[in-house]
Amino acid sequence: MDAAHHPDHPPKRPVEPPRPSPGKPVEVRDRLRMSLVNRRAANWGLESAPWAPSKARGHVIDQLHSWGFREADDTAGNVAELLVSRAVNDGCRRVSLHLADQDRQALIVVLSHRAGLAVTDERLLPAVAALGATSCGADTAQDSRRLWAVLDL
């Protein structure tokens, strides 16, 4: 390469997050994003529509079958359907469905992407437990509500 050669464009710099301005407060997140590590996982984005709960049921059962679990069809399908139907009733535009397995247990998580929701109806968690969930819960952030259940496989 010729020592007198100069590139026509400046070198690329790595992308940096914006630096805080003096006097401007730094944004603080209410909760960390969900993270599933060291386990198999699958996720689907669903339109918030009346058919979404049955579609979620099919996704969960098909994925569990592909992982070799065939015993929990009714339980997993019913729990996924109930959680997604509750998220659809939130009036959001889309719903996220996440599934993970570890140590013969499955985790089903549903996010309804709508701001300003209350935690959940107090009848939901007992209904999820009655379907066969080992544990379940709900929490809310500024931008969404998260519903989850753990099932034995």
Side-chain angles (χ1 to χ4, degrees):
M1 179 178 229
D2 187 321
H5 175 72
H6 298 289
D8 295 335
H9 54 81
K12 292 185 179 179
R13 294 183 182 168
V15 176
E16 295 181 25
R19 295 183 179 164
S21 302
K24 183 178 177 186
V26 176
E27 181 181 342
V28 178
R29 297 185 73 92
D30 286 346
R31 77 172 177 206
L32 297 175
R33 292 185 180 268
M34 187 174 74
S35 176
L36 300 172
V37 294
N38 298 328
R39 65 197 67 180
R40 291 183 291 194
N43 58 64
W44 302 270
L46 302 170
E47 179 184 350
S48 182
W51 50 261
S54 61
K55 186 115 176 140
R57 176 188 191 87
H59 284 316
V60 167
I61 291 172
D62 290 347
Q63 188 64 53
L64 288 174
H65 284 186
S66 75
W67 289 340
F69 301 112
R70 297 190 176 272
E71 307 81 36
D73 284 0
D74 287 335
T75 303
N78 291 340
V79 168
E81 209 166 346
L82 178 59
L83 295 179
V84 170
S85 68
R86 184 55 52 107
V88 167
N89 289 339
D90 288 341
C92 54
R93 292 182 54 180
R94 65 186 177 96
V95 174
S96 298
L97 170 65
H98 302 266
L99 175 68
D101 82 313
Q102 184 178 18
D103 300 329
R104 300 213 41 88
Q105 288 189 315
L107 169 65
I108 300 173
V109 179
V110 174
L111 299 169
S112 61
H113 300 277
R114 183 169 176 215
L117 296 171
V119 173
T120 188
D121 179 359
E122 62 188 41
R123 296 171 292 182
L124 174 65
L125 299 181
V128 173
L131 291 174
T134 331
S135 62
C136 55
D139 65 41
T140 305
Q142 288 180 341
D143 61 342
S144 66
R145 177 186 352 228
R146 178 172 44 195
L147 306 170
W148 59 269
V150 175
L151 315 169
D152 288 328
L153 297 175

